[in-house]
Amino acid sequence: MTDEESVLERAVAQLRVAEAAVIEARTALSAVIVAEHRAGVPVADLAARTGKSATGIRNLLDAAGV
């Protein structure tokens, strides 16, 4: 394996780790959004606090069965 190939392989491995971290963070955020909404936080407030649209929050809640 050449140095260039080794650098590429390391970059790909780093990307895969980062992608897994993003998936984990999105899953955690979704769980918190659902819990906050169940605790009475309005969709508009959740949208403002997360930077997501109200429609996005409603879609997330709908997908979670809330």
Side-chain angles (χ1 to χ4, degrees):
M1 181 178 296
T2 68
D3 286 341
E4 285 182 14
E5 290 171 335
S6 177
V7 169
L8 178 61
E9 296 300 322
R10 281 195 306 269
V12 169
Q14 289 173 336
L15 178 61
R16 289 186 178 139
V17 168
E19 289 171 336
V22 167
I23 290 168
E24 185 177 332
R26 285 183 177 157
T27 301
L29 177 61
S30 295
V32 171
I33 288 170
V34 168
E36 290 281 311
H37 185 67
R38 285 184 173 149
V41 178
V43 168
D45 289 353
L46 292 168
R49 290 171 55 196
T50 61
K52 296 184 172 289
S53 69
T55 301
I57 296 293
R58 282 189 206 94
N59 288 342
L60 183 149
L61 294 169
D62 185 50
V66 178

